[in-house]
């Protein structure tokens, strides 16, 4: 199977595009569409929910989760991979124009507001229709999940540490695996990389990429 390079993926992301990222076949063995929070649009979100069909979530760094006072939604996380769901959120109507919160354009406005460095706690209401996920501080080298991958890619792209991710589900309702993901990447001309490639990319750069 031929994968894209991380640099090709970063170029796509910087221009507001989406990429497909697969995790390890021994882990979830799933693929997600990933975009940058700072570059997201209603059209992009609509593509994600139409063609991927999973749960649209918003990875962000622990620092930003603290800034926006987002708390774990359960006291004890027993999810199999420890996915760190925190307070569901919508952008406030006053600052983002979000109304019901569920349209592709409302969800894009919420994500983009979280990626705006000038945003504050009062720019959001809770509960909402976006599902923030907090990345571990060690990134993909500590936890090789799509949450961490999205935040790592945002940092590598020089953008705020906010992403948008959604699992890819096939038309028959089953999870997409790498053979399907490769075909989807080709169909929509999307870069296709793995989390292992991101880890290798960071290791090749050397140093600590967290800050």
């Amino acid at each position: 199977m031929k994968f894209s390079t991380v640099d090709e993926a970063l170029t796509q992301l910087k221009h507001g595009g989406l990429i497909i990222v697969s995790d390890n076949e021994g882990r979830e063995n799933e693929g997600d569409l990933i975009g940058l929070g700072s570059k997201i649009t209603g059209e992009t979100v609509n593509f994600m929910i139409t063609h991927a069909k999973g749960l649209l979530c918003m990875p962000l760094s622990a620092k930003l989760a603290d800034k926006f006072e987002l708390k774990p939604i359960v006291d004890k996380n027993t999810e199999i991979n420890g996915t760190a769901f925190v307070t569901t959120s919508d952008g406030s109507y006053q600052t983002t124009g979000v109304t019901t919160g569920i349209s592709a354009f409302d969800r894009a406005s919420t994500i983009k507001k979280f990626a705006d460095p000038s945003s504050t706690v009062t720019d959001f209401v809770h509960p909402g229709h976006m599902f923030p996920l907090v990345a571990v501080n060690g990134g993909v080298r500590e936890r090789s999940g799509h949450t961490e991958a999205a935040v790592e890619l945002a940092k590598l792209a020089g953008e705020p540490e906010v992403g948008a991710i959604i699992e890819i589900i096939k038309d028959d309702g089953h999870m997409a695996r790498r053979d399907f993901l490769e075909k989807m990447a080709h169909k929509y001309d999307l870069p296709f990389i793995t989390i292992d490639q991101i880890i290798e990319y960071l290791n090749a750069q050397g140093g600590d990429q967290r800050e």
Side-chain angles (χ1 to χ4, degrees), residues 76-181:
K76 183 180 180 181
N77 190 332
T78 58
E79 197 272 332
I80 189 170
N81 289 301
T83 306
F85 284 92
V86 291
T87 316
T88 59
S89 308
D90 284 337
S92 71
Y93 175 76
Q94 292 77 10
T95 59
T96 65
V98 168
T99 54
T100 64
I102 193 60
S103 74
F105 294 89
D106 276 359
R107 283 188 271 183
S109 294
T110 297
I111 297 167
K112 201 155 192 173
K113 194 65 178 174
F114 270 103
D116 182 349
S118 68
S119 295
T120 65
V121 173
T122 57
D123 290 323
F124 305 95
V125 297
H126 315 283
H129 297 80
M130 279 310 306
F131 296 84
L133 307 173
V134 182
V136 300
N137 285 326
V140 290
R141 290 179 285 193
E142 179 178 335
R143 180 179 183 273
S144 56
H146 288 99
T147 299
E148 287 70 28
V151 172
E152 295 276 23
L153 289 166
K155 289 190 286 186
L156 288 168
E159 294 293 326
E161 298 169 4
V162 178
I165 65 174
I166 185 168
E167 304 96 338
I168 299 171
I169 298 172
K170 297 194 298 184
D171 290 340
D172 66 6
H174 291 93
M175 298 309 301
R177 305 306 180 196
R178 288 191 177 184
D179 55 346
F180 181 93
L181 299 173

Side-chain angles (χ1 to χ4, degrees), residues 3-210:
F3 294 103
S4 307
T5 67
V6 172
D7 283 324
E8 288 169 337
L10 290 171
T11 297
Q12 175 89 341
L13 291 169
K14 289 175 184 178
H15 285 89
L18 298 170
I19 66 171
I20 297 175
V21 178
S22 175
D23 70 347
N24 192 289
E25 291 179 297
R27 190 178 177 272
E28 288 183 321
N29 190 20
E30 293 178 357
D32 283 25
L33 280 178
I34 293 183
L36 297 180
S38 59
K39 304 291 186 180
I40 205 75
T41 65
E43 291 81 6
T44 306
V45 169
N46 193 46
F47 181 94
M48 296 174 83
I49 61 178
T50 299
H51 297 289
K53 301 188 287 292
L55 182 65
L56 181 65
C57 294
M58 184 185 65
L60 75 172
S61 65
K63 183 165 67 174
L64 286 180
D66 289 342
K67 173 184 175 181
F68 295 117
E69 300 178 5
L70 302 176
K71 306 299 182 184
I73 61 174
V74 292
D75 293 330
K76 183 180 180 181
N77 190 332
T78 58
E79 197 272 332
I80 189 170
N81 289 301
T83 306
F85 284 92
V86 291
T87 316
T88 59
S89 308
D90 284 337
S92 71
Y93 175 76
Q94 292 77 10
T95 59
T96 65
V98 168
T99 54
T100 64
I102 193 60
S103 74
F105 294 89
D106 276 359
R107 283 188 271 183
S109 294
T110 297
I111 297 167
K112 201 155 192 173
K113 194 65 178 174
F114 270 103
D116 182 349
S118 68
S119 295
T120 65
V121 173
T122 57
D123 290 323
F124 305 95
V125 297
H126 315 283
H129 297 80
M130 279 310 306
F131 296 84
L133 307 173
V134 182
V136 300
N137 285 326
V140 290
R141 290 179 285 193
E142 179 178 335
R143 180 179 183 273
S144 56
H146 288 99
T147 299
E148 287 70 28
V151 172
E152 295 276 23
L153 289 166
K155 289 190 286 186
L156 288 168
E159 294 293 326
E161 298 169 4
V162 178
I165 65 174
I166 185 168
E167 304 96 338
I168 299 171
I169 298 172
K170 297 194 298 184
D171 290 340
D172 66 6
H174 291 93
M175 298 309 301
R177 305 306 180 196
R178 288 191 177 184
D179 55 346
F180 181 93
L181 299 173
E182 184 179 35
K183 293 175 184 176
M184 182 176 179
H186 179 73
K187 179 178 180 179
Y188 295 109
D189 195 23
L190 302 174
F192 177 26
I193 63 171
T194 69
I195 292 177
D196 283 345
Q197 283 180 269
I198 301 172
I199 295 171
E200 292 168 4
Y201 188 91
L202 292 170
N203 288 339
Q205 287 192 337
D208 190 341
Q209 299 294 322
R210 285 174 290 178

